[in-house]
Each structure stands twice: as structure tokens, then as C-alpha cells.
Amino acid sequence: MNYSLKVIDKRQETNDTVTLCFKQPGLKKIKYLAGQYLTLIFRINGRRYIRPYSFSSCPIVDEYLEVTVKRVLNGIVSNHINDEVKVGDTIEVMSPMGDFIFEEDVTYRDVYFWGVGSGITPLISIIKYILSSIENVKVHLNYGNRNHDTTIFRNQIEELKSKYPDRLIVRHFHTKFIIEENNPHIIQGRIDFERAIQILEENESLSLSAHYICGPPGLKESVKDALASKGVDIENIYTEDFELVKNPEDFKDIKTQNVVVDFNGTHFGLEVVKGKSILEAALDSDIELPYSCQTGNCSTCKARVLTGEVKMIGLSKERSDLSDGEFLLCCSHPLTENVYIEL
Ligand SMILES: Cc1cc2nc3c(=O)[nH]c(=O)nc-3n(C[C@H](O)[C@H](O)[C@H](O)COP(=O)(O)OP(=O)(O)OC[C@H]3O[C@@H](n4cnc5c(N)ncnc54)[C@H](O)[C@@H]3O)c2cc1C
Ligand code: FES
């Protein structure tokens, strides 16, 4: 289901990041869980663009629905939001989605958050949720940025530290380090394997810990490796990806191919250039297929392959829920020349 939301505030977080605050719809309130995302739909220069943004607000703490958007170099929607969207605008959104949420049924003593840059958005939402609603859980935020000025939610994090001095431990990692006497908690450099190990070694009961990771692939790999080497159960590790990571090796058997897409009973012939997903090729041809995350997570782009073979590339999580012949077009590439897809 889609909603129209009114922007009632726009906050500048850093030079290249803004938060949009939306008023809940009058009749049917949007329900969401901390860590989920909202999908925004725009029409820019006649073309439809759909992008997911994690809630930076927390349902039980914040009155408004908030998303926080960092500019991406040459990015269509992130720059449109930073430059063009104004208070009073109405934006179409989809129902909240996402499984990067806090598992309440497991008893954790410590919850660690590992984030870089805009990866903080779902983390701050879950952090606010835990601090305000679950007692006796210690929260550890390990947050990497270039420096103080590029740190999104710097003030909000300081306020949370003052409100929960015994339960929130924050380590800021700055790659562009300027020594400041009043900032003794800043660590120079990136969150890498060795630093993650050092942090984990301070905890003697890691079996009672959960870990939420959101940031670039380098962060995810080094933290996951450190957690594995400390014996942390994979079940207690949660990750969110903002981008699909494609390994060039996986494209060895892919060639540019023509495919046919049957969308709502209309047939479209499509050239899928090697490297592009079937969804990207369709969108480039102005075929408005449904989608949201473009990372193989939400299933909005699910379709059935009736003939030929396709290969999914870049999926970061197993998708055992897909039945035979079902594929996610955002990460699907044709392997043969007779691919016929229906959705
Ligand atoms: C589940 C989920 C939650 C997300 N939450 C947030 C959020 O809270 N805040 C936020 O700012 N973004 C978030 N994103 C990313 C967001 O959806 C867009 O991908 C991002 O804003 C870029 O869109 P664009 O239209 O500006 O760039 P596009 O025009 O789509 O892309 C331009 C170029 O930038 C590259 N690119 C795309 N995304 C990124 C990225 N994240 N980092 C670096 N390069 C990129 C592309 O490969 C492309 O080459 C999230 C993504 C997902 C899947
Ligand atoms: S768009 Fe989300 S799985 Fe493809």
C-alpha cells in the first residue's frame, strides 16, 4: 500500500546530509519497527525513481516519521532530496519494509552497533528503541566518519550519552583526525579487524551479545571476521546493505542478451547489457516495473522465469523463500538467449 506524506520539517545534519520529517497520515497511521526503511517515490524529469531510506526516527520515541539522506556523487534522488525537497511538499511512499530489526525474544546483555557514515540511520533508530524500552541492556556504538563535521547525529548521540551514561558507550573513529583536548573518546583511523578485536576483547561474555552492522562492504567484512574469530554466533549478527555488492568474477558467464518481459499482460522486448540487472534494463527503457531496495532484500521485484536461465548476483542473504522459477529482477542477469519473464 502507498501513502502520501507531508514534509513538515527538513533538518540539515551535516554539509551533505538532511533529515526529512513527515507527519503521520490523518486516517491510517504508518506502523514501523526501529531499523526498518521507508521507500520514497519521485518523478524527476518525467522518470519515476524509487529509493529506500532507513528510518532514523524510532516509533516509540519520535513523534514524526524521519529519514536521513546523504548525497551520493551524481546520485539522482539523494541530491534531489538535499536540494529540491521543501517543507510542505507531499511525497509518495510505500509501506515500511525490512528485517534489520531488534529481536526482542532473545536475551542479550550487550548490543553492539557498527556503522560508517549514513549507515548510522537504522542503527540510531534501534539504539533509541533499546535505550528507551529495554532495561539492563548495554549499547555500544562504534561509528566511523571522516571527522567531527561529517558525523551525522553528533548532537543526538551526545544527548543520548548524557541521558543514559551507564548504558551507552560510544567510540567515534575519525579518518581525518584533528587532536582536540575535549574529545578524548575519538579514535584515529577506520574500524578494522584489529580494532574490532580490541573492542570485543573488553567483553568477557560475548555469547550474550548481538551485533548490528551497517556500512560499506569493508566495514562489514572486517567486523564479521572479528566476530567469527571471537566465536560470536552468526545468528546474533545482523547486517543491512545500502548497495548491492557485485563481484566481477560472477559475471564471467554473462553476455548481453535480449529478454522478453510480460508485465501485466503487455510484452516488452529488452536488451540487457552485460553488467546491468534485468530490472535496471527495464527501468532504462521506461518500463515501470515494481521495485524498492535493489539489494535483493524486499522481494518487490519478484518475477517468474518461464523459459531460459537467469542468474542472481550480489545477494548477501540466502533466499530460501523463493520457489522454483522465482527470481528477484534487481539482481538477475540472463544466462541464455531465450529468457521469458512474467510478473
Ligand atoms: C535498505 C536500504 C536503506 C537505505 N537507507 C539509506 C539511508 O538511511 N540514508 C541514505 O542516505 N541512503 C540510504 N540508502 C541508499 C539509498 O536508497 C540510495 O541508494 C542512495 O540515496 C543513492 O540514490 P541516488 O538516486 O542518489 O543515486 P543513484 O542515481 O541511484 O546512483 C548514482 C551512483 O552512486 C552509486 N551509489 C548508489 N548508492 C550509493 C551509496 N549508498 N553509497 C555510495 N554510492 C552509491 C551508484 O552505484 C551509482 O553509480 C539505503 C538503501 C537501502 C537498500
Ligand atoms: S527490489 Fe527489493 S528484492 Fe529486488
Side-chain angles (χ1 to χ4, degrees):
M1 178 176 172
N2 287 8
Y3 301 82
S4 289
L5 294 183
K6 194 160 184 187
V7 180
I8 59 146
D9 196 12
K10 183 177 179 184
R11 280 197 310 267
Q12 196 73 42
E13 300 288 354
T14 65
N15 269 347
D16 61 2
T17 305
V18 294
T19 293
L20 296 182
C21 308
F22 298 106
K23 201 173 164 194
Q24 281 276 14
L27 288 178
K28 200 169 184 302
K29 300 255 179 292
I30 295 184
K31 288 199 178 125
Y32 69 102
L33 299 172
Q36 286 192 307
Y37 57 85
L38 190 67
T39 307
L40 276 55
I41 304 172
F42 291 93
R43 206 158 274 282
I44 303 168
N45 297 330
R47 185 169 159 179
R48 187 194 62 165
Y49 294 92
I50 300 179
R51 296 287 183 273
Y53 291 100
S54 299
F55 285 101
S56 48
S57 54
C58 168
I60 56 167
V61 175
D62 299 302
E63 182 182 357
Y64 300 119
L65 305 163
E66 298 182 11
V67 295
T68 301
V69 181
K70 181 173 174 161
R71 285 182 198 273
V72 162
L73 186 67
N74 300 324
I76 309 267
V77 174
S78 58
N79 286 292
H80 176 80
I81 291 174
N82 270 270
D83 295 332
E84 307 295 338
V85 171
K86 310 178 295 302
V87 172
D89 287 358
T90 298
I91 296 176
E92 190 184 352
V93 305
M94 294 182 187
S95 295
M97 287 183 261
D99 54 4
F100 189 65
I101 53 173
F102 186 63
E103 298 291 346
E104 303 243 13
D105 47 343
V106 190
T107 316
Y108 297 117
R109 196 182 291 169
D110 295 272
V111 183
Y112 288 78
F113 293 87
W114 308 86
V116 167
S118 58
I120 189 66
T121 52
L123 306 184
I124 196 88
S125 175
I126 307 173
I127 289 171
K128 287 189 273 188
Y129 179 77
I130 296 177
L131 290 174
S132 61
S133 68
I134 305 165
E135 283 177 22
N136 304 325
V137 174
K138 235 181 200 167
V139 170
H140 305 251
L141 171 61
N142 302 298
Y143 184 19
N145 283 288
R146 258 165 72 79
N147 58 30
H148 228 58
D149 293 341
T150 63
T151 303
I152 304 170
F153 306 137
R154 196 174 88 193
N155 294 339
Q156 198 176 151
I157 292 166
E158 284 309 306
E159 281 163 23
L160 288 170
K161 265 169 62 182
S162 316
K163 193 165 174 195
Y164 303 98
D166 302 327
R167 294 184 53 211
L168 176 61
I169 298 149
V170 181
R171 295 178 194 85
H172 285 285
F173 291 77
H174 287 177
T175 46
K176 255 202 153 209
F177 188 61
I178 300 162
I179 294 168
E180 289 179 50
E181 278 175 15
N182 51 355
N183 283 317
H185 302 298
I186 295 172
I187 302 162
Q188 184 168 14
R190 289 177 199 287
I191 305 173
D192 56 16
F193 176 82
E194 284 78 20
R195 289 201 173 91
I197 291 280
Q198 278 167 17
I199 292 168
L200 296 172
E201 282 178 345
E202 289 172 19
N203 189 329
E204 285 165 10
S205 50
L206 277 177
S207 58
L208 296 173
S209 68
H211 299 264
Y212 287 79
I213 311 169
C214 188
L219 169 87
K220 190 165 105 177
E221 291 321 313
S222 36
V223 173
K224 278 178 97 175
D225 288 350
L227 293 170
S229 80
K230 287 281 150 201
V232 173
D233 192 339
I234 189 108
E235 298 265 301
N236 297 337
I237 303 171
Y238 305 85
T239 59
E240 182 73 302
D241 296 308
F242 282 3
E243 257 200 298
L244 198 69
V245 181
K246 300 175 188 167
N247 179 354
E249 282 289 297
D250 292 333
F251 286 88
K252 269 188 177 158
D253 47 358
I254 304 290
K255 286 202 294 240
T256 296
Q257 305 273 13
N258 291 317
V259 307
V260 176
V261 177
D262 179 346
F263 176 43
N264 288 341
T266 307
H267 291 58
F268 298 95
L270 208 61
E271 186 189 50
V272 184
V273 175
K274 179 174 178 167
K276 289 228 173 194
S277 68
I278 296 172
L279 175 72
E280 284 171 309
L283 298 177
D284 284 349
S285 303
D286 288 331
I287 305 167
E288 297 195 343
L289 299 187
Y291 72 101
S292 167
C293 72
Q294 292 199 72
T295 54
N297 179 274
C298 71
S299 301
T300 310
C301 65
K302 190 163 74 179
R304 185 165 287 282
V305 174
L306 300 184
T307 64
E309 285 178 52
V310 308
K311 178 179 178 184
M312 290 201 283
I313 295 178
L315 273 187
S316 66
K317 289 172 197 161
E318 284 283 314
R319 292 296 309 259
S320 51
D321 54 313
L322 297 173
S323 52
D324 257 6
E326 280 184 343
F327 287 85
L328 303 169
L329 296 188
C330 65
C331 40
S332 291
H333 302 262
L335 268 176
T336 57
E337 59 184 11
N338 56 339
V339 171
Y340 186 98
I341 295 163
E342 186 184 69
L343 73 166

